[in-house]
Amino acid sequence: MRRSVLLVPTAGGGLWSARSGGVRWICGFTDEAALARFALRHGPGDQPMDCAALLGARMVDEVVPSLGEPAGLAVDIATEDGSMFFPPVVGIVPDAVAVDARVREGFGHGR
């Protein structure tokens, strides 16, 4: 994922995202066909969906931390049996914005 170029829909001057389970999920797609499946359900009618091409590493290392809330990356969400989710946890996003960083440091165990 980190070395892949993802197509990320844009809307209202920002990246398209959805909130679920207390996490803001930025949606990215591995190719135009996957983006087209998504656009059929969530696009602006008969108009083309604008998108940005971004490296997966940039998404999790720069974009996610800039949002100021728990955020992760959802890839190919309109692809049946092909969706991938990269949650805001240690090892995926920078430790400073990982929701489990405090637990891993021992703060979640009554210390």
Side-chain angles (χ1 to χ4, degrees), residues 17-57:
S17 63
R19 286 183 174 77
S20 179
V23 175
R24 181 173 172 183
W25 296 97
I26 300 170
C27 300
F29 300 90
T30 55
D31 57 33
E32 290 181 1
L35 176 61
R37 283 188 293 276
F38 173 80
L40 284 174
R41 293 188 181 124
H42 301 285
D46 60 352
Q47 299 175 1
M49 180 175 267
D50 292 329
C51 69
L54 300 168
L55 278 176

Side-chain angles (χ1 to χ4, degrees), residues 1-9 26-31 35 51-57 59-60 73-76 84 86:
M1 177 274 301
R2 295 186 62 77
R3 293 182 184 161
S4 297
V5 174
L6 298 173
L7 301 175
V8 183
I26 300 170
C27 300
F29 300 90
T30 55
D31 57 33
L35 176 61
C51 69
L54 300 168
L55 278 176
M59 296 295 301
V60 295
L73 181 59
V75 178
D76 290 345
M84 298 170 279
F86 300 92

Side-chain angles (χ1 to χ4, degrees), residues 4 20 34 36 53 65 77 83 98-99 107 111:
S4 297
S20 179
I77 60 170
S83 300
V99 296
F107 293 109
R111 293 184 183 166

